[in-house]
């Protein structure tokens, strides 16, 4: 059974920084991508940052230049968030794109970690 766990959320003042971490455990046949999504109250979940197995990255326009996604091993990823704004307040979720034993696409999600940016 695959488990995905995020950590590092919390309360930070505008302009501050946080580093989120995500670690997966269990049998994962392959990791095609690791991503961070977020969902603010009353809004749909949105992609924040994505890194493919080849190292390509993609960011939401709203976080470009402020957030950086990185790998920390085969099943670990970090999201460095700088110059945080109140509008970054949301629950942040880690997503792992993979394939199952039949090589069909499958996604694994963490439970989410709360990030609150407020003075």
């Amino acid at each position: 059974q695959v488990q995905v766990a995020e950590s590092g959320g919390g309360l930070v003042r505008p302009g501050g920084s946080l580093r989120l971490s995500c670690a997966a455990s269990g049998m994962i046949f392959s990791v095609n991508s690791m991503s961070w999504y977020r969902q603010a109250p009353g809004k749909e979940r949105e992609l924040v940052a994505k890194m493919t197995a080849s190292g390509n990255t993609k960011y939401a326009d709203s976080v470009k230049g402020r957030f950086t996604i990185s790998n920390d091993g085969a099943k670990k990823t970090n999201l460095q968030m700088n110059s945080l704004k109140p509008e970054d307040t949301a629950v942040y979720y880690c997503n792992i794109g993979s394939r199952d034993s039949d090589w069909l696409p499958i996604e694994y999600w963490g439970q989410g970690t709360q990030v609150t940016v407020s003075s």
Side-chain angles (χ1 to χ4, degrees):
Q1 184 175 356
V2 175
Q3 292 185 328
V4 178
E6 304 97 337
S7 61
L11 173 63
V12 64
R13 294 184 184 277
S17 298
L18 279 176
R19 184 178 180 85
L20 304 183
S21 295
C22 170
S25 60
M27 177 65 74
I28 298 180
F29 289 96
S30 69
V31 176
N32 299 330
S33 64
M34 302 191 80
S35 306
W36 289 93
Y37 287 73
R38 68 186 180 187
Q39 187 167 19
K43 294 188 177 182
E44 294 186 352
R45 190 173 295 189
E46 63 173 352
L47 176 67
V48 175
K50 179 178 183 177
M51 177 177 278
T52 66
S54 60
N56 292 325
T57 57
K58 177 181 179 180
Y59 295 93
D61 288 342
S62 59
V63 308
K64 283 180 181 176
R66 300 188 297 122
F67 290 12
T68 303
I69 188 171
S70 62
N71 274 355
D72 187 17
K75 294 187 289 186
K76 296 182 180 180
T77 183
N78 300 313
L79 183 68
Q80 179 66 42
M81 305 186 296
N82 299 328
S83 302
L84 283 161
K85 305 175 181 180
E87 51 263 43
D88 295 318
T89 295
V91 178
Y92 284 71
Y93 297 90
C94 179
N95 170 281
I96 298 176
S98 181
R99 293 189 180 272
D100 63 16
S101 57
D102 294 319
W103 216 241
L104 295 173
I106 188 171
E107 292 186 340
Y108 302 105
W109 290 89
Q111 293 297 311
T113 185
Q114 176 71 46
V115 171
T116 302
V117 184
S118 175
S119 56

